[in-house]
Amino acid sequence: MATMLEGRCQTQPRSSPSGREASLWSSGFGMKLEAVTPFLGKYRPFVGRCCQTCTPKSWESLFHRSITDLGFCNVILVKEENTRFRGWLVRRLCYFLWSLEQHIPPCQDVPQKIMESTGVQNLLSGRVPGGTGEGQVPDLVKKEVQRILGHIQAPPRPFLVRLFSWALLRFLNCLFLNVQLHKGQMKMVQKAAQAGLPLVLLSTHKTLLDGILLPFMLLSQGLGVLRVAWDSRACSPALRALLRKLGGLFLPPEASLSLDSSEGLLARAVVQAASAPLGLWTGALAVLRSLWSRWGCSHRICSRVHLAQPFSLQEYIVSARSCWGGRQTLEQLLQPIVLGQCTAVPDTEKEQEWTPITGPLLALKEEDQLLVRRLSCHVLSASVGSSAVMSTAIMATLLLFKHQKLLGEFSWLTEEILLRGFDVGFSGQLRSLLQHSLSLLRAHVALLRIRQGDLLVVPQPGPGLTHLAQLSAELLPVFLSEAVGACAVRGLLAGRVPPQGPWELQGILLLSQNELYRQILLLMHLLPQDLLLLKPCQSSYCYCQEVLDRLIQCGLLVAEETPGSRPACDTGRQRLSRKLLWKPSGDFTDSDSDDFGEADGRYFRLSQQSHCPDFFLFLCRLLSPLLKAFAQAAAFLRQGQLPDTELGYTEQLFQFLQATAQEEGIFECADPKLAISAVWTFRDLGVLQQTPSPAGPRLHLSPTFASLDNQEKLEQFIRQFICS
């Protein structure tokens, strides 16, 4: 789930100390344009489907074609029709009556259920280390279980929940113009809840408002009250007591202790046995004051909540275990190629797990830990795929890449997003959307009127460019396959034509399919897993073919038929190669039936259509902030102060990125998230090594990359994918 925010479109003039500036922002920019018909009525994709490979039954049973046409609803709009009563008094008390009619399920006998669970019973019988068989008295263990359970939760008070729901509904109507929810997405969640099994919802926490909107939305749609785990250190004891009565969950501190601690073992057993069926307004009281001071009642905004399609965890576990294959670390895959020791890319997948290691995760078996990590990749991919792209992200991308005609390019980019199966979080006339987007970015751009009717929009240097780059990163998942392919083509042409050479010269060269595969694989391995969002059930070669297909579909690559070769469109006599025989059935797609041995004779050229050079540069620039940050991190190896802690070295790198941005004007790379990603990638690549110390793990430069020659090889390897 994700909560997207967008301010209300202001079409009326605003009062401002500067009359000239106010006229630029509120007078329609002086553009004489006709009203444009909203283009969102043509096609609107339904997003958020689960993985068809890993959960085919859920993919089919929890979805129906009719739910795509249900449209949106405003969940904070409560009228007389939402209650059982009618009349003029009901219309004035509808909020209060609605809160009284909300179903609050009764509290079950949770302590007895936990005491009868398998994990706690094993502790009581002494069948595990740290149980009563090692000298502990069962009565003392029972009291400890009661204490831990009392720290976790308390029986929710229905009266307080209803009272808080009424107050929250009043507050949300003062804060929001509307809260949109797709009724088709809600229909899938309601259908999954009817099965009677526990429903677990994972939030991407886009904003602080998630703690308010998500529980309220589920309560208003008849799904009960959401329970969310909350860190007890983040609030005072009085606030903890209030939130527990509202259905709050607080993980005990003992759950994060080492595995050999008996207290930590007992706490983890209680946490695993405790179900999370209903109730928590997580963090609501903590953010009300900040939200009220930020927006107040005079600036109402719009919000939209996305729900991805639910899937059966049991079905996923069975399917995921059947398609596990061998994997290698990034150091094994990429380091020999970076250093020039070999040229062939190993035929295996990359193992790169950045999931935080916590006490409950360490308590699982190694196979179950791997299952949790790969499940997180699926969930993250689904959440990104179901998140709508906002108008500010589109406008920031156009300004960052110096597009000249904002009106036409905004419409073009919106249609490209919709055609790729992603949704947008706005609607309306094009001129109003353009004006509204610029008004939201007014702190980071400058408006200059150059002549009557024309307006020049210039991004503010420094932090303004950094903010625009962060907003434009929302478009990267939409064009990720094409961006990876474009940067791979750039790397393939790097040693053949000058970087500043004309597009016609680059279009003369033939690019073999095997060479494209190799470059795409190299870039795939270099990119972080949380950015690439490659599903564990999808092989690298399938993704390579998908990237190649996308480049052909968007018109950047055209097939070149060589004399004597079978046409690429002739699929009648294709056979499955031995390379594909060992793969699970879920790895086969229509394009995977191509024999990789026949790919040697297939060649492509860059298309010479007029729009191709600009679109190719646009795709390359989407990945340029990350790749430039990686290249600067490679250059920083010569002057970084090592050994140091991971946090300390990341801070060193971030300061270097900021200093370089001031010198070269590349402010989109001065992002602390990019610095963290570079340090983690270099650690997995074997550039940085981590060793334990009394003060904690410390990073130091590996002996392999201590030489200046290897550092330069690493930097050149990264820069081949960057399009200047």
Side-chain angles (χ1 to χ4, degrees):
M1 287 186 299
T3 305
M4 294 293 185
L5 299 180
E6 192 76 17
R8 182 183 181 182
C9 183
Q10 303 288 342
T11 57
Q12 300 298 328
R14 303 181 181 182
S15 60
S16 173
S18 175
R20 176 177 175 82
E21 181 182 1
S23 64
L24 289 178
W25 287 105
S26 59
S27 63
F29 312 126
M31 297 181 294
K32 299 179 180 179
L33 300 174
E34 298 293 336
V36 181
T37 304
F39 41 78
L40 299 183
K42 300 179 181 178
Y43 172 73
R44 190 155 204 154
F46 185 79
V47 297
R49 300 296 303 275
C50 62
C51 180
Q52 188 178 11
T53 302
C54 296
T55 53
K57 295 181 180 179
S58 301
W59 188 86
E60 182 178 1
S61 62
L62 297 178
F63 177 79
H64 193 271
R65 290 294 179 185
S66 60
I67 69 176
T68 60
D69 302 327
L70 293 180
F72 293 87
C73 65
N74 184 8
V75 296
I76 64 172
L77 181 62
V78 176
K79 297 182 178 180
E80 178 184 1
E81 292 78 11
N82 299 109
T83 65
R84 296 178 299 168
F85 310 98
R86 297 294 182 268
W88 66 271
L89 185 60
V90 175
R91 288 191 291 270
R92 287 158 177 79
L93 300 177
C94 57
Y95 288 2
F96 180 73
L97 295 175
W98 173 86
S99 62
L100 292 180
E101 293 179 353
Q102 296 306 307
H103 174 63
I104 309 297
C107 180
Q108 303 175 353
D109 191 6
V110 179
Q112 184 63 28
K113 179 180 178 181
I114 293 178
M115 290 296 298
E116 295 175 356
S117 64
T118 304
V120 176
Q121 287 297 320
N122 289 338
L123 286 173
L124 293 176
S125 61
R127 288 192 292 266
V128 296
T132 58
E134 297 187 0
Q136 299 186 31
V137 182
D139 293 339
L140 296 179
V141 177
K142 292 181 181 180
K143 292 181 180 179
E144 185 66 14
V145 170
Q146 295 286 351
R147 185 193 66 81
I148 296 175
L149 184 60
H151 182 91
I152 294 175
Q153 62 183 0
R157 304 296 177 88
F159 174 75
L160 287 178
V161 173
R162 290 190 174 96
L163 181 62
F164 193 79
S165 301
W166 169 78
L168 189 59
L169 181 61
R170 301 288 302 182
F171 175 78
L172 291 177
N173 275 273
C174 295
L175 182 64
F176 292 104
L177 184 66
N178 58 68
V179 177
Q180 295 182 355
L181 172 67
H182 197 286
K183 291 185 287 187
Q185 295 178 347
M186 194 68 238
K187 192 75 173 179
M188 294 189 299
V189 178
Q190 291 174 342
K191 190 173 183 180
Q194 293 174 358
L197 298 176
L199 191 63
V200 180
L201 298 100
L202 302 178
S203 173
T204 54
H205 295 294
K206 292 284 187 179
T207 66
L208 290 174
L209 300 176
D210 288 1
I212 294 180
L213 290 179
L214 302 183
F216 176 83
M217 178 203 63
L218 295 177
L219 178 65
S220 65
Q221 300 300 314
L223 290 179
V225 192
L226 181 65
R227 275 197 188 274
V228 183
W230 184 248
D231 190 358
S232 59
R233 297 169 297 181
C235 54
S236 63
L239 183 58
R240 280 204 306 268
L242 176 61
L243 290 179
R244 282 198 192 97
K245 293 180 181 179
L246 293 173
L249 286 178
F250 294 90
L251 295 182
E254 299 92 341
S256 299
L257 295 178
S258 59
L259 296 180
D260 56 355
S261 171
S262 59
E263 294 182 356
L265 186 63
L266 182 60
R268 284 190 291 271
V270 174
V271 171
Q272 293 173 4
S275 59
L278 304 167
L280 173 66
W281 305 97
T282 303
L285 300 180
V287 299
L288 291 184
R289 180 178 300 178
S290 61
L291 292 176
W292 190 271
S293 61
R294 182 176 179 181
W295 285 292
C297 296
S298 60
H299 188 80
R300 301 172 69 191
I301 60 177
C302 301
S303 177
R304 181 172 168 187
V305 181
H306 306 274
L307 293 174
Q309 182 182 6
F311 61 90
S312 171
L313 184 59
Q314 182 179 6
E315 180 187 8
Y316 172 79
I317 292 176
V318 175
S319 302
R321 294 185 189 275
S322 62
C323 61
W324 286 357
R327 291 175 178 251
Q328 293 183 359
T329 63
L330 183 62
E331 181 178 356
Q332 296 170 333
L333 288 173
L334 214 55
Q335 188 181 108
I337 300 177
V338 171
L339 300 179
Q341 299 173 356
C342 69
T343 57
V345 183
D347 184 15
T348 185
E349 306 298 324
K350 179 180 66 172
E351 186 67 34
Q352 186 181 42
E353 304 295 349
W354 290 356
T355 307
I357 303 298
T358 58
L361 184 60
L362 289 175
L364 301 176
K365 299 178 181 179
E366 184 177 357
E367 184 180 5
D368 293 334
Q369 292 183 24
L370 183 61
L371 183 66
V372 171
R373 292 189 180 104
R374 297 188 177 181
L375 175 63
S376 64
C377 294
H378 270 285
V379 173
L380 182 60
S381 177
S383 64
V384 172
S386 61
S387 300
V389 179
M390 309 311 293
S391 60
T392 50
I394 299 177
M395 182 57 63
T397 304
L398 296 177
L399 294 176
L400 191 64
F401 300 152
K402 300 179 181 179
H403 285 255
Q404 301 297 326
K405 301 178 180 179
L406 291 180
L407 195 66
E409 298 293 341
F410 190 97
S411 176
W412 162 78
L413 195 52
T414 303
E415 292 180 355
E416 291 291 331
I417 293 172
L418 295 173
L419 290 176
R420 282 165 173 79
F422 284 77
D423 201 1
V424 293
F426 54 87
S427 61
Q429 293 186 345
L430 198 56
R431 178 183 177 183
S432 299
L433 288 172
L434 186 70
Q435 177 181 355
H436 174 52
S437 303
L438 289 175
S439 65
L440 294 176
L441 298 174
R442 60 186 306 174
H444 309 285
V445 298
L447 301 182
L448 304 175
R449 194 188 300 275
I450 53 179
R451 58 177 180 267
Q452 185 65 28
D454 293 332
L455 195 69
L456 180 63
V457 184
V458 181
Q460 297 282 2
L465 288 176
T466 304
H467 182 74
L468 293 180
Q470 293 173 351
L471 290 176
S472 66
E474 296 183 16
L475 265 69
L476 185 55
V478 181
F479 298 93
L480 184 59
S481 298
E482 293 95 328
V484 170
C487 292
V489 172
R490 176 63 260 170
L492 195 58
L493 297 175
R496 303 185 183 182
V497 295
Q500 303 296 337
W503 181 261
E504 293 77 9
L505 179 61
Q506 300 179 16
I508 297 177
L509 298 177
L510 289 177
L511 309 175
S512 70
Q513 184 167 326
N514 276 348
E515 292 176 329
L516 289 170
Y517 277 163
R518 181 181 181 275
Q519 289 297 118
I520 294 173
L521 281 174
L522 292 179
L523 185 55
M524 279 177 55
H525 293 329
L526 179 64
L527 294 178
Q529 189 69 30
D530 59 347
L531 172 72
L532 196 60
L533 296 177
L534 186 64
K535 296 180 180 179
C537 59
Q538 185 180 13
S539 67
S540 298
Y541 278 96
C542 291
Y543 186 77
C544 288
Q545 187 61 47
E546 177 185 339
V547 170
L548 190 58
D549 292 343
R550 290 289 187 92
L551 292 179
I552 297 174
Q553 291 171 4
C554 67
L556 286 179
L557 287 183
V558 292
E560 181 72 15
E561 305 293 351
T562 57
S565 64
R566 181 170 55 86
C569 59
D570 184 10
T571 60
R573 294 180 295 173
Q574 291 181 359
R575 300 177 180 177
L576 294 177
S577 65
R578 292 185 177 181
K579 188 178 189 63
L580 291 174
L581 294 180
W582 63 269
K583 292 191 175 183
S585 59
D587 284 347
F588 290 102
T589 60
D590 294 338
S591 58
D592 294 331
S593 60
D594 297 343
D595 192 341
F596 286 104
E598 297 180 0
D600 296 332
R602 296 180 186 170
Y603 292 88
F604 301 89
R605 293 182 187 271
L606 288 176
S607 175
Q608 298 300 309
Q609 298 182 20
S610 58
H611 73 281
C612 287
D614 293 336
F615 189 52
F616 182 83
L617 186 62
F618 166 78
L619 294 175
C620 290
R621 284 180 172 177
L622 287 176
L623 279 175
S624 63
L626 177 69
L627 294 176
K628 289 180 180 179
F630 281 14
Q632 294 180 18
F636 181 67
L637 294 175
R638 307 183 185 98
Q639 51 184 297
Q641 300 298 323
L642 289 172
D644 196 356
T645 62
E646 182 179 297
L647 182 61
Y649 187 73
T650 303
E651 183 62 28
Q652 289 186 48
L653 177 58
F654 178 59
Q655 293 178 0
F656 175 77
L657 294 178
Q658 288 182 316
T660 307
Q662 295 292 338
E663 296 175 0
E664 302 179 1
I666 313 178
F667 291 95
E668 57 266 26
C669 300
D671 190 343
K673 295 181 180 180
L674 296 181
I676 295 174
S677 183
V679 171
W680 288 2
T681 301
F682 282 14
R683 183 191 59 193
D684 294 342
L685 187 56
V687 180
L688 301 173
Q689 293 182 350
Q690 186 171 287
T691 56
S693 67
R698 298 180 67 85
L699 295 176
H700 64 89
L701 192 61
S702 66
T704 304
F705 287 90
S707 65
L708 184 61
D709 184 44
N710 288 342
Q711 294 177 9
E712 292 178 350
K713 289 180 180 179
L714 175 63
E715 184 177 357
Q716 292 301 320
F717 174 81
I718 299 173
R719 289 195 178 277
Q720 67 174 327
F721 301 108
I722 301 176
C723 187
S724 59

